[in-house]
Amino acid sequence: MPFLPFYRRLRRFPLLFLAAFLLAPLLLAARPPRPKPAPLHLQVRRIAPDVFVHTSYRRYPGKAAPVPSNGLIISTSKGALLIDTAWDPEQTLELLRWVADSLHQRVRLVVISHAHEDRLGGLAVLRANKINVYSTPLTAKRAAKLPFGTPMPAIKPYTVIRAGRTRLELFSPGPGHSPDNLVAWLPKQQILFGGCLVKEAAAPNLGNIDEADLKAWPTTLRTVAARYPKARIVVPGHGQWGSTALFTHTLGLLNALKTPKTQTALNDKP
Ligand SMILES: [Zn+2]
């Protein structure tokens, strides 16, 4: 009889459906939970007896490894000076804890090297801890449009901060990675914090160029290279520090941008 198997199937189907419906919550609950991404932690590395690089991290969708971002910690007899916050409030809190636990110091002041999240994303934590945060007027103006807080606009295009025997020079060389990028120079230690104006040797490209001035960047970079020929260590905004070869590498990346256009122009010639 052909009707009987069909009827049986029909009868069986709602039962299966009902069973699945009733079991679904149990099956879903039994599924292993999605692994939570591990929390990101600040890293601190010493590059001179009293100078440290603080590296914080951020995850980007589609990128396997978290992206690192560098700032500076300078230990002085008057307290610690920082260049840039960590990338987020949590890692900035770790930064303050590290200074307190490892240097047994308070953070005296923080200088923001330009108005991007990787430089001032943890500003609220500094405010909450009553730490003074400074930048150039241009950085402060640009930071006011972002949701992280605004530094005090007390840094002139060339400013020297003295704390005990430490001398920290701050210099605005002109537009490059951003219109307001600032570099920091420690003459005694011959360390230059180039920030995002300088790319690490392993960087295959210029990274975030949303607000970059690609035309002015090479000139700005040459200004910095000519001003600090004695730099022993150059710290880029992201990745591994190196020598003044990082200037050449960054100029190379800027030149490579121009090359395709030139080639097209040549190819277009009849
Ligand atoms: Zn930036």
Side-chain angles (χ1 to χ4, degrees), residues 114-119 142 177-178 196-197 208 211 238:
H114 67 271
H116 279 165
E117 191 174 355
D118 55 345
R119 308 291 125 202
R142 286 165 43 78
H177 160 81
S178 68
C196 294
L197 188 69
N208 173 14
E211 294 191 290
H238 304 270

Side-chain angles (χ1 to χ4, degrees), residues 6-67:
F6 180 66
Y7 168 70
R8 272 190 191 148
R9 231 182 292 154
L10 248 189
R11 204 181 54 174
R12 224 181 310 160
F13 180 73
L15 278 176
L16 276 173
F17 183 78
L18 189 69
F21 183 77
L22 290 172
L23 284 172
L26 280 174
L27 287 171
L28 281 174
R31 236 175 35 173
R34 231 194 228 170
K36 259 191 185 169
L40 298 167
H41 289 296
L42 183 95
Q43 196 185 7
V44 177
R45 287 163 291 175
R46 187 197 291 263
I47 54 169
D50 48 2
V51 186
F52 307 81
V53 171
H54 65 81
T55 305
S56 52
Y57 295 87
R58 182 181 182 153
R59 278 195 188 84
Y60 281 96
K63 280 210 170 191
V67 177

Side-chain angles (χ1 to χ4, degrees), residues 57-108:
Y57 295 87
R58 182 181 182 153
R59 278 195 188 84
Y60 281 96
K63 280 210 170 191
V67 177
S69 176
N70 297 330
L72 229 52
I73 304 167
I74 305 137
S75 175
T76 81
S77 58
K78 305 283 176 194
L81 316 177
L82 302 187
I83 305 290
D84 294 331
T85 77
W87 213 324
D88 60 33
E90 292 75 22
Q91 292 176 92
T92 302
L93 200 55
E94 288 186 350
L95 175 57
L96 296 188
R97 280 202 195 114
W98 186 90
V99 172
D101 296 347
S102 303
L103 300 178
H104 309 289
Q105 287 186 322
R106 266 188 64 85
V107 174
R108 186 77 189 272

Side-chain angles (χ1 to χ4, degrees), residues 195-262:
C196 294
L197 188 69
V198 182
K199 304 303 294 180
E200 68 164 329
N205 56 48
L206 292 163
N208 173 14
I209 51 168
D210 290 352
E211 294 191 290
D213 186 333
L214 297 172
K215 217 173 152 213
W217 195 338
T219 312
T220 303
L221 206 53
R222 280 192 198 100
T223 305
V224 174
R227 196 179 172 101
Y228 306 108
K230 285 186 182 164
R232 203 169 45 84
I233 300 175
V234 178
V235 182
H238 304 270
Q240 187 61 48
W241 47 93
S243 67
T244 49
L246 297 194
F247 297 139
T248 324
H249 173 62
T250 311
L251 282 170
L253 293 174
L254 284 157
N255 270 334
L257 274 186
K258 284 184 208 151
T259 317
K261 274 185 201 159
T262 320

Side-chain angles (χ1 to χ4, degrees), residues 259-270:
T259 317
K261 274 185 201 159
T262 320
Q263 275 171 355
T264 317
L266 285 173
N267 292 345
D268 285 346
K269 272 189 182 168

